[in-house]
Amino acid sequence: MEINEKIKKVLKRKGEDIIIDLYLKDYDRSNFYFALVFNPKIEKFKVLYVPIDAIDNYNEIEEYFCYQFIFLHTVNYILKTIDNFDTSNLNLDKCNKNLKSYYISINTYVNKKECNYTFTQFIDREFSFLFDIIVTLFEHLPNIVSELCGKLLAEFYDDNEEVRYNGSFDFNLDENSLSDLFSDKIIDNCSLGFNDIKFIENVGNRYYAFINNGLIIIDYSNYKYLLNISSKEFNALSEEVYIVLKAIKEKLEKKFYRLMVTTDSKNFEDKYNNEINFYLCYGIENNSFCLVNSVNIIELDLIKRKCVKVLNGNILLENKVREFLTCSYDKNLVEEIMEFTFVKES
């Protein structure tokens, strides 16, 4: 029996009714159980917090229960929100079956109707009714888990730059061998080399790589030795990921293009102006820059207004921009804009 089921069994024995619960399994290597419950003895609603990883004795689970009372009008809002949302046309199971980590399970028990929702890493945006409910629950939980709220709801924010993982592994990048992750077939028959990697760069705890017209993002924690892999084009244990991880272990770096973007060219007079935004870029497509891990769209037309500067550019990128400008301007103006746009990184 999973720990969340054991917790529910204890709540049933205590006579407390579950209204909604949230179970996080192996989420950043942590496990939690949260619930909104009703205690009929005192006729009060409470928010329950159970730090599963702290439990030493599973025969005394109740000793690890932490409660916070919640106002009745807040509960009524939650009940109404759940009851009014139509899920009949939605797939309630959004879990990635190929990824056991970052498991999210939400159960609601309202008007004698039970619904189970499962996700991986994020709550999907189409389940909009869960946003206010999750926020409200976390307002009644310890501050130590407040950061979790933002991670669970990341897809609801317009400036979201989070990525969906399609692989999560216990792995020490410095000491473990790649043979611990990849099959002999991948390792022995890999047709790719470091020359196939167009860009690879480390930014904080994240590595970005562009290879075979696909982007690979590696999140790595030196503290937890947790390796998370994200790619829309490749699976987590593909030869593309293998060669990228091999390059990371060899400390290979090929920097991405860097864009400085603003709404007024005068802002460039002060490079620390907070109206200048910075982006990593790996090319141009459909008259827009291809950005790494950004929801924004930077169109080439901004270059005509001198609102873009490119650092770490190369001949290939310069030729594409020059070709774009030549369609609108004469040679002298094209060269003037090119000189303004492409700068050498100091």
Side-chain angles (χ1 to χ4, degrees), residues 8 18 26 38 55 60 68 86 124 136 157-158 190 206 208-209 258 268 275 287 312 321 331:
K8 292 178 184 181
I18 302 172
D26 195 18
F38 177 69
I55 298 176
E60 298 179 358
Q68 173 69 49
D86 182 13
D124 287 51
T136 302
Y157 300 108
D158 290 337
C190 182
R206 180 168 284 180
Y208 300 98
R258 277 172 167 71
F268 286 128
E275 293 185 25
N287 287 336
N312 200 38
V321 172
K331 182 178 179 180

Side-chain angles (χ1 to χ4, degrees), residues 151-320:
K151 290 184 177 181
L152 296 177
L153 300 173
E155 194 164 282
F156 289 88
Y157 300 108
D158 290 337
D159 60 348
N160 167 43
E161 293 186 1
E162 291 294 329
V163 295
R164 282 196 179 275
Y165 302 140
N166 49 352
S168 183
F169 308 95
D170 294 333
F171 193 80
N172 185 325
L173 263 176
D174 293 322
E175 298 182 5
N176 289 144
S177 168
L178 292 178
S179 61
D180 296 338
L181 283 182
F182 295 89
S183 67
D184 291 340
K185 182 178 179 181
I186 289 290
I187 294 174
D188 296 337
N189 300 318
C190 182
S191 60
L192 301 172
F194 291 167
N195 288 337
D196 295 297
I197 302 174
K198 186 175 180 182
F199 300 101
I200 182 168
E201 188 169 349
N202 173 219
V203 181
N205 292 327
R206 180 168 284 180
Y207 296 86
Y208 300 98
F210 190 74
I211 179 173
N212 276 358
N213 293 316
L215 186 66
I216 295 172
I217 300 176
I218 308 289
D219 279 349
Y220 179 66
S221 170
N222 265 317
Y223 170 68
K224 296 181 179 180
Y225 298 126
L226 183 61
L227 182 73
N228 293 317
I229 300 168
S230 174
S231 179
K232 294 179 180 178
E233 292 81 15
F234 316 113
N235 68 56
L237 296 177
S238 65
E239 66 174 4
E240 285 84 4
V241 174
Y242 166 72
I243 201 66
V244 165
L245 287 176
K246 187 176 180 180
I248 291 172
K249 288 174 74 69
E250 293 292 329
K251 312 297 184 185
L252 177 68
E253 182 178 64
K254 297 180 181 180
K255 287 189 174 183
F256 284 84
Y257 308 131
R258 277 172 167 71
L259 304 186
M260 299 172 62
V261 183
T262 186
T263 55
D264 189 336
S265 61
K266 293 181 180 179
N267 292 330
F268 286 128
E269 295 173 7
D270 176 10
K271 67 178 180 179
Y272 299 107
N273 190 311
N274 58 15
E275 293 185 25
I276 299 176
N277 296 307
F278 295 82
Y279 303 92
L280 296 184
C281 168
Y282 56 88
I284 291 173
E285 190 173 298
N286 298 326
N287 287 336
S288 295
F289 288 102
C290 301
L291 305 181
V292 172
N293 197 33
S294 176
V295 297
N296 295 316
I297 297 175
I298 308 300
E299 297 181 344
L300 290 184
D301 274 336
L302 281 175
I303 289 179
K304 297 177 179 178
R305 294 161 43 196
K306 295 186 177 180
C307 290
V308 177
K309 281 184 176 290
V310 179
L311 289 72
N312 200 38
N314 60 18
I315 294 297
L316 180 63
L317 191 71
E318 288 182 16
N319 287 342
K320 287 187 177 182

Side-chain angles (χ1 to χ4, degrees), residues 83-94:
D83 200 35
N84 287 346
F85 194 85
D86 182 13
T87 60
S88 59
N89 294 320
L90 294 177
N91 175 16
L92 305 189
D93 183 5
K94 307 292 286 187

Side-chain angles (χ1 to χ4, degrees), residues 37-206:
V37 301
F38 177 69
N39 188 312
K41 288 184 179 179
I42 59 175
E43 297 184 345
K44 297 292 184 181
F45 289 93
K46 299 181 290 183
V47 174
L48 169 65
Y49 161 62
V50 185
I52 293 174
D53 297 323
I55 298 176
D56 293 321
N57 188 343
Y58 285 89
N59 294 320
E60 298 179 358
I61 290 178
E62 187 179 342
E63 298 299 321
Y64 298 88
F65 285 14
C66 306
Y67 289 100
Q68 173 69 49
F69 287 104
I70 184 171
F71 288 118
L72 179 60
H73 67 83
T74 304
V75 174
N76 285 335
Y77 171 74
I78 291 175
L79 294 174
K80 184 178 179 181
T81 301
I82 294 173
D83 200 35
N84 287 346
F85 194 85
D86 182 13
T87 60
S88 59
N89 294 320
L90 294 177
N91 175 16
L92 305 189
D93 183 5
K94 307 292 286 187
C95 197
N96 181 348
K97 301 301 185 293
N98 297 318
L99 182 60
K100 294 181 180 179
S101 301
Y102 294 93
Y103 175 77
I104 304 167
S105 174
I106 299 174
N107 294 282
T108 60
Y109 308 85
V110 176
N111 288 339
K112 298 182 179 180
K113 179 184 177 183
E114 177 180 345
C115 286
N116 173 246
Y117 311 86
T118 56
F119 310 93
T120 297
Q121 197 178 351
F122 309 137
I123 294 173
D124 287 51
R125 197 176 188 130
E126 58 196 298
F127 295 85
S128 57
F129 78 104
L130 289 172
F131 182 90
D132 285 345
I133 293 172
I134 297 301
V135 169
T136 302
L137 283 181
F138 272 86
E139 286 175 346
H140 294 78
L141 292 171
N143 289 334
I144 195 171
V145 294
S146 60
E147 186 179 337
L148 267 177
C149 184
K151 290 184 177 181
L152 296 177
L153 300 173
E155 194 164 282
F156 289 88
Y157 300 108
D158 290 337
D159 60 348
N160 167 43
E161 293 186 1
E162 291 294 329
V163 295
R164 282 196 179 275
Y165 302 140
N166 49 352
S168 183
F169 308 95
D170 294 333
F171 193 80
N172 185 325
L173 263 176
D174 293 322
E175 298 182 5
N176 289 144
S177 168
L178 292 178
S179 61
D180 296 338
L181 283 182
F182 295 89
S183 67
D184 291 340
K185 182 178 179 181
I186 289 290
I187 294 174
D188 296 337
N189 300 318
C190 182
S191 60
L192 301 172
F194 291 167
N195 288 337
D196 295 297
I197 302 174
K198 186 175 180 182
F199 300 101
I200 182 168
E201 188 169 349
N202 173 219
V203 181
N205 292 327
R206 180 168 284 180

